[in-house]
Amino acid sequence: LATLTKDAISTSTTSDLLHKLAPSTPDVPQLTLSRLGFEPVTDIDPQPVIPQNIITDYHATRDFPAIQGTSQLGIHLRFGTISIRKLIQFALDLNETFLSELIWREFFMMILYHFPHTVSSAFKPAYDNIKWRNAPNDFNAWSKGETGYPLVDAGMQQLNQTGYMHNRVRMVTASFLCKHLLIDWRWGEAHFAEKLNDFELASNVGNWQWAAGSGCDAAPYYRVFNPTLQQKKFDPKGTYVNTWNHNQHLLPLVEHKFAVERCLNAYKAALNKV
């Protein structure tokens, strides 16, 4: 900032002084979407509608991927086309479960702010000792939706085709990669970051570490989702699976019982090093 002399101040009008401090035509480069690395899209409504009936029933419907039981507002939160405060106001009056999910979102943002190392390292340092298999062929099969587990494959194919995946299925697919295939959660986090339209770093990292057991939640590492039981419970008629999974003839990439045993042994070995 420049300092004006007393003489200049006494002989100048207010508008002159303002012009010297902030010229009316500053030399600012003209930025366009393309120069910023973006391109316009037409499949996202910039004016979100809060689905009051869905939020009211959220606790009863949110886990069933075949029905419209979630708000679909994640992408609007991601790009700021809806206010988190506005959603919280609605949730306070409508549904405690929906409110708790918004709180989780804010919690993960707080974790990322105070513990920025969690982007690339485990929140619980001992979990960085896990000896991951990191088999590229298994990772590719998972990413394409070709694991032989119908619910996992349906979720991955929905993600690849639409840029979206139902939240319950996100948990199942993430658990499968980390626990069944013993592939580093960071591989999955990076894949979701590339594919998800509603990607947010804090939520993505927080939820992937949750799935891997290395995050800040209190559940023990031996929580392993059974994809077959998850399908029976949350997609009993196979509606979701039949909609998205076009590879239902595939044999399972790994047997569930064997995978769980291998996973628990690897985690125990890592934690015993502490």
Side-chain angles (χ1 to χ4, degrees):
L1 290 176
T3 302
L4 296 175
T5 66
K6 291 182 179 179
D7 290 340
I9 293 175
S10 63
T11 58
S12 299
T13 64
T14 302
S15 60
D16 290 336
L17 293 174
L18 291 175
H19 180 72
K20 289 176 181 178
L21 292 173
S24 58
T25 55
D27 185 20
V28 178
Q30 296 299 309
L31 297 179
T32 61
L33 281 176
S34 59
R35 287 189 64 183
L36 290 169
F38 292 93
E39 58 184 37
V41 296
T42 58
D43 57 347
I44 299 174
D45 187 349
Q47 300 297 326
V49 176
I50 298 177
Q52 182 170 333
N53 60 322
I54 289 177
I55 293 177
T56 299
D57 297 331
Y58 183 78
H59 61 287
T61 61
R62 66 175 181 142
D63 284 317
F64 299 90
I67 63 177
Q68 186 62 43
T70 59
S71 71
Q72 306 289 307
L73 293 173
I75 194 167
H76 291 286
L77 287 168
R78 164 68 178 86
F79 287 101
T81 50
I82 194 169
S83 164
I84 182 65
R85 292 174 177 82
K86 184 175 182 178
L87 270 186
I88 286 175
Q89 286 177 337
F90 270 86
L92 283 169
D93 296 328
L94 293 177
N95 193 283
E96 184 177 344
T97 303
F98 187 77
L99 175 63
S100 71
E101 293 300 304
L102 297 178
I103 293 172
W104 267 110
R105 178 180 178 275
E106 296 301 301
F107 175 73
F108 281 142
M109 288 189 173
M110 181 195 72
I111 291 296
L112 182 62
Y113 177 82
H114 289 287
F115 304 95
H117 71 278
T118 56
V119 172
S120 56
S121 302
F123 180 84
K124 301 171 184 173
Y127 286 75
D128 283 329
N129 295 324
I130 295 173
K131 189 175 181 180
W132 302 105
R133 291 176 60 247
N134 289 345
N137 289 340
D138 286 357
F139 179 78
N140 289 335
W142 173 84
S143 66
K144 294 176 182 177
E146 296 176 353
T147 69
Y149 284 86
L151 185 61
V152 173
D153 294 345
M156 297 307 297
Q157 290 179 54
Q158 182 186 26
L159 175 64
N160 291 335
Q161 293 176 44
T162 69
Y164 171 81
M165 190 194 302
H166 185 275
N167 182 61
R168 165 60 57 173
V169 188
R170 294 188 197 198
M171 292 190 290
V172 175
T173 57
S175 174
F176 187 87
L177 183 74
C178 300
K179 302 293 181 66
H180 281 69
L181 300 182
L182 263 185
I183 290 177
D184 195 326
W185 63 266
R186 285 160 282 222
W187 288 33
E189 192 276 329
H191 185 75
F192 272 28
E194 179 184 3
K195 294 289 185 177
L196 283 170
N197 289 333
D198 60 7
F199 162 74
E200 274 186 334
L201 182 62
S203 296
N204 206 44
V205 168
N207 282 303
W208 270 96
Q209 291 227 34
W210 180 90
S214 61
C216 52
D217 107 278
Y221 67 87
Y222 45 81
R223 173 189 55 204
V224 182
F225 283 105
N226 183 326
T228 303
L229 294 182
Q230 288 286 306
Q231 181 182 340
K232 288 181 179 179
K233 186 173 182 179
F234 298 112
D235 189 37
K237 296 182 180 179
T239 306
Y240 174 80
V241 164
N242 291 331
T243 299
W244 294 107
N245 183 12
H246 307 298
N247 297 315
Q248 295 189 45
H249 63 284
L250 297 176
L251 294 175
L253 197 61
V254 62
E255 195 268 330
H256 174 70
K257 185 177 179 180
F258 166 81
V260 172
E261 215 171 292
R262 179 176 65 182
C263 165
L264 297 182
N265 288 336
Y267 273 63
K268 288 176 184 176
L271 298 179
N272 286 336
K273 291 182 180 180
V274 179

